[in-house]
Amino acid sequence: MHKPTSTNSRDWTQIYRIYGMEQWQTLLFLTFQAILFSILSILFLLYFQPICQFLDTLFIFTPTPTPTSSTGGGSAARFAAGFTGCVTALSAVCLFFAAGNFFYSAVGLHYEMAQRIVSCVNDWSTVKVALDIGCGRGILLNAVATQLKKTGSSGRVVGLDRSKRTTLSTLRTANMEGVGEYVTCREGDVRSLPFGDNYFDVVVSATFVHTVGKEYGHRTVEAAAERMRVLGEMVRVLKPCGVGVLWDLLHVPEYVRRLQELKMEDIRVSERVTAFMVSSHIVSFRKPSQHMLGPGEVRLDWRF
């Protein structure tokens, strides 16, 4: 397994300028909540004594007044105000961290993981056709196209997404990256890929498979069945000896079990990477040249 190529030559501003950000509403929501809780914590700090006095009037059982409590509320009120202020401040910090992690995961980390996914394929010069399932903004799609261009390959990469509007946007980013001639985008259902059997040399996907079946709820049997259908389709359209690589959240163990059931070879799982505040892993595998009996071996590759 090759080590990932360095991404130091491109900073997040360059990446954001080209690809923008999906689910920006979530980032705005987290940031707004963080600012709101910050303001509340500051108000608790500035107006601690009046708040204590106000809370003191809300307690039915108040202690005998003391010199301290007569000017700033009883001990119970002071504890309640202090505790609430601390929780509010801690919530603000956590929300700011969540917003920062969300932005980093959607921009910088996504680009870095795309380079890691590309490095999982040993020889791109022999790749004629590749597929990116759930191509979205095209970060991974263009990384594949860039690798094809670097190796002088005459191959192409197809980006599949559920939205025609997204595919048009993805083609624009490919042209901005200078790899438009290597990229084709089309709309389609990932649970029933519009391609023939044994068609692609490489199939990749990034933070997409876990979204399939979300209308049933992520932890339901129905959602799991939908995700397994996608894996089955990935294997179906992959050529014998072809390579599949996916980076996804939460459900990696069930992906590994399904790939074992499908008799895939050289199944590898990367180290844990925190993305969007949850654990994520890269899973790579190779489709055997012929049917094999028995479960495949799973290797934990910490050099991913």
Side-chain angles (χ1 to χ4, degrees):
M1 191 70 65
H2 293 301
K3 292 184 179 180
T5 57
S6 174
T7 61
N8 294 333
S9 60
R10 300 190 75 176
D11 58 34
W12 67 268
T13 56
Q14 293 175 308
I15 303 168
Y16 181 78
R17 191 180 305 119
I18 296 174
Y19 297 101
M21 181 176 179
E22 292 178 339
Q23 298 180 333
W24 56 267
Q25 300 93 333
T26 302
L27 179 62
L28 286 181
F29 175 79
L30 290 171
T31 304
F32 174 78
Q33 293 293 320
I35 294 173
L36 177 61
F37 275 86
S38 296
I39 294 173
L40 288 175
S41 63
I42 292 172
L43 290 175
F44 266 95
L45 180 64
L46 295 177
Y47 298 98
F48 183 75
Q49 300 297 351
I51 291 172
C52 288
Q53 291 174 354
F54 171 74
L55 291 177
D56 199 28
T57 63
L58 301 181
F59 287 97
I60 299 176
F61 302 101
T62 57
T64 302
T66 65
T68 302
S69 62
S70 63
T71 59
S75 58
R78 293 176 67 84
F79 173 80
F83 179 79
T84 305
C86 290
V87 171
T88 304
L90 182 61
S91 298
V93 172
C94 291
L95 285 166
F96 273 120
F97 178 79
N101 182 265
F102 189 91
F103 180 79
Y104 170 67
S105 298
V107 182
L109 180 62
H110 198 144
Y111 184 84
E112 177 185 341
M113 297 302 282
Q115 308 310 309
R116 295 190 185 189
I117 290 172
V118 166
S119 72
C120 293
V121 179
N122 292 325
D123 186 6
W124 282 98
S125 63
T126 61
V127 175
K128 300 302 180 183
V129 192
L131 173 66
D132 179 10
I133 296 178
C135 60
R137 296 166 292 159
I139 293 179
L140 175 57
L141 181 75
N142 292 336
V144 171
T146 300
Q147 195 65 25
L148 291 173
K149 184 178 181 179
K150 285 180 178 179
T151 58
S153 171
S154 60
R156 297 181 64 84
V157 56
V158 179
L160 185 77
D161 200 273
R162 293 174 288 196
S163 169
K164 184 177 181 179
R165 180 179 178 182
T166 300
T167 58
L168 293 175
S169 176
T170 303
L171 287 174
R172 286 195 293 269
T173 65
N175 290 326
M176 293 175 68
E177 291 280 25
V179 292
E181 67 272 22
Y182 292 88
V183 172
T184 301
C185 292
R186 63 180 297 177
E187 181 184 4
D189 184 2
V190 297
R191 288 166 285 198
S192 181
L193 294 176
F195 307 104
D197 297 352
N198 307 320
Y199 188 80
F200 294 98
D201 300 290
V202 174
V203 178
V204 297
S205 181
T207 62
F208 174 77
V209 178
H210 75 279
T211 67
V212 179
K214 63 181 180 180
E215 63 272 17
Y216 300 108
H218 285 293
R219 298 187 180 278
T220 63
V221 175
E222 293 82 1
E226 295 295 287
R227 293 191 293 268
M228 296 307 99
R229 284 183 61 186
V230 176
L231 284 179
E233 284 293 284
M234 288 181 65
V235 170
R236 180 183 67 80
V237 300
L238 193 61
K239 290 180 181 179
C241 298
V243 176
V245 191
L246 66 122
W247 169 45
D248 209 19
L249 318 175
L250 299 173
H251 306 292
V252 168
E254 69 181 37
Y255 301 161
V256 171
R257 287 193 296 269
R258 180 56 176 162
L259 291 172
Q260 287 179 297
E261 292 172 357
L262 294 171
K263 314 302 182 187
M264 295 299 101
E265 296 178 339
D266 200 21
I267 302 172
R268 295 172 180 247
V269 181
S270 74
E271 79 282 5
R272 178 182 182 273
V273 177
T274 300
F276 302 102
M277 300 298 293
V278 298
S279 65
S280 72
H281 299 267
I282 293 176
V283 180
S284 66
F285 62 92
R286 182 168 55 85
K287 187 173 181 178
S289 58
Q290 57 185 356
H291 182 73
M292 292 182 60
L293 297 176
E297 178 187 5
V298 181
R299 282 188 278 180
L300 298 178
D301 190 348
W302 307 111
R303 298 175 294 114
F304 234 116

